Amino acid sequence: MGIDYANETTSAAVGANIQYSENASLVPATAGTGAPVALTPGSDLYFRFGASAASLASQAMAQDGPARPVLSSTESGTTDLTPFVLKIDFAQTATGIQATDFTVVNATLGAVSLVTSSGTSTSYETLVYGTDDGEVSISLPAGSINEGNFRSDAFTILFEADHTGIGTDPDAVKISVYPNPSSGQVHIEGSRMGTSPVLIRLYSPAGALLLTEEMEGSNKAVLDVQHLEDGLYIVKVSGEGFQKVSRIMLQK
């Protein structure tokens, strides 16, 4: 029958001589009206030619309706993490997807990378870089993959950018995280951080906490990351009244 993914209907009109149902038994069945039939993403629809004076009803033919792609992240609600990982899951084979296929508001996307593909499901990941304070919205339009897909629901999250050190306040906290890229050690130096303990956390791009270090009575710290694989990592430095989030590339 074919699918019009944009309008979520069959691609062809269904005449009165064709019956359809959500049940494989076609009981109950509805006769076509000469217009395309609405499809429900994730549900199959069954069709047959109805009986006539000259012939019996045909066997049922199934129209597979793939589920909508699902966009998700370990970040939710509100985040100051940039970038964070966005997962794109398909309940079908999915090829040909690119970052430019997405509709994105208040963010930019990195390259889309294939994670798994089993024939009946496909998963991708991309990095989301928040732009300004406010809501980030990301969705995948219909027809973005070679095999065809229904539009996704929008993934939304409130992004609150890190403003540490921005402005002309002479008492503002200043934090440096270097070198970038790093060959195995990450140095953190700060000033005007007060006397309260400062917590340093290292995260994977997926949001997994890998290391924790506390700066107390010192304005310097060194993270040993030689045991980690090369790639992008997130360093979050937080203390009383301030927080800084930095991206570090590890290249040994």
Side-chain angles (χ1 to χ4, degrees):
M1 185 64 66
I3 298 176
D4 179 341
Y5 287 102
N7 292 310
E8 301 189 359
T9 65
T10 57
S11 56
V14 177
N17 62 326
I18 298 178
Q19 299 173 334
Y20 62 92
S21 174
E22 294 182 350
N23 302 313
S25 63
L26 277 104
V27 177
T30 302
T33 62
V37 174
L39 299 175
T40 301
S43 298
D44 293 341
L45 205 59
Y46 299 88
F47 296 86
R48 72 181 176 194
F49 288 98
S52 67
S55 63
L56 298 174
S58 71
Q59 291 186 335
M61 299 168 286
Q63 174 63 70
D64 179 34
R68 298 188 192 280
V70 176
L71 279 54
S72 63
S73 175
T74 56
E75 297 294 304
S76 62
T78 301
T79 186
D80 58 9
L81 190 62
T82 183
F84 62 86
V85 174
L86 181 73
K87 290 187 62 182
I88 309 101
D89 294 315
F90 296 86
Q92 63 181 112
T93 299
T95 60
I97 187 173
Q98 301 180 41
T100 53
D101 293 325
F102 292 82
T103 300
V104 183
V105 177
N106 195 34
T108 58
L109 301 184
V112 178
S113 302
L114 177 66
V115 178
T116 60
S117 180
S118 66
T120 57
S121 64
T122 312
S123 294
Y124 290 89
E125 285 184 350
T126 185
L127 292 176
V128 180
Y129 297 83
T131 304
D132 298 308
D133 285 359
E135 186 178 78
V136 170
S137 176
I138 305 167
S139 59
L140 187 66
S144 295
I145 61 173
N146 294 334
E147 295 77 8
N149 65 279
F150 294 110
R151 65 167 177 80
S152 74
D153 292 327
F155 170 85
T156 59
I157 192 168
L158 184 62
F159 177 63
E160 294 183 349
D162 168 44
H163 298 291
T164 301
I166 296 175
T168 58
D169 181 0
D171 296 323
V173 174
K174 292 179 173 58
I175 299 173
S176 299
V177 180
Y178 66 92
N180 193 10
S182 168
S183 60
Q185 290 188 329
V186 178
H187 295 257
I188 296 95
E189 291 189 13
S191 62
R192 303 187 181 94
M193 293 187 296
T195 57
S196 299
V198 175
L199 197 61
I200 304 169
R201 297 184 180 93
L202 181 75
Y203 295 87
S204 73
L209 179 61
L210 303 176
L211 291 173
T212 301
E213 185 86 15
E214 187 172 292
M215 295 170 62
E216 189 169 12
S218 173
N219 63 351
K220 297 181 180 180
V222 179
L223 296 182
D224 186 353
V225 294
Q226 296 184 59
H227 63 288
L228 299 176
E229 295 182 357
D230 286 3
L232 182 71
Y233 295 88
I234 311 299
V235 179
K236 183 180 288 187
V237 183
S238 57
E240 186 175 357
F242 70 89
Q243 179 171 269
K244 179 180 178 66
V245 180
S246 303
R247 300 188 300 275
I248 287 290
M249 180 63 70
L250 179 60
Q251 294 179 348
K252 298 193 293 289

